[in-house]
Amino acid sequence: MAELSPLRRRMIEDMTIRNLSPATQRSYVHAVAKFSRH
């Protein structure tokens, strides 16, 4: 698997601390990645 960027890693850590479900985390990461490509 590719190395995670520090920003993505931080986002995932923050969502984990906030106890968001894995599905929600995937959805949010996907949305931010899609937005950043825009």
Side-chain angles (χ1 to χ4, degrees), residues 5 7-8 11 28-38:
S5 73
L7 187 59
R8 181 176 286 198
M11 182 180 173
Y28 284 11
V29 168
H30 175 74
V32 170
K34 191 174 175 184
F35 175 74
S36 71
R37 286 191 298 268
H38 177 59

Side-chain angles (χ1 to χ4, degrees), residues 13-35:
E13 288 171 0
D14 288 348
M15 290 189 294
T16 302
I17 289 168
R18 288 176 173 83
N19 203 27
L20 298 179
S21 75
T24 301
Q25 291 183 28
R26 282 191 302 274
S27 178
Y28 284 11
V29 168
H30 175 74
V32 170
K34 191 174 175 184
F35 175 74

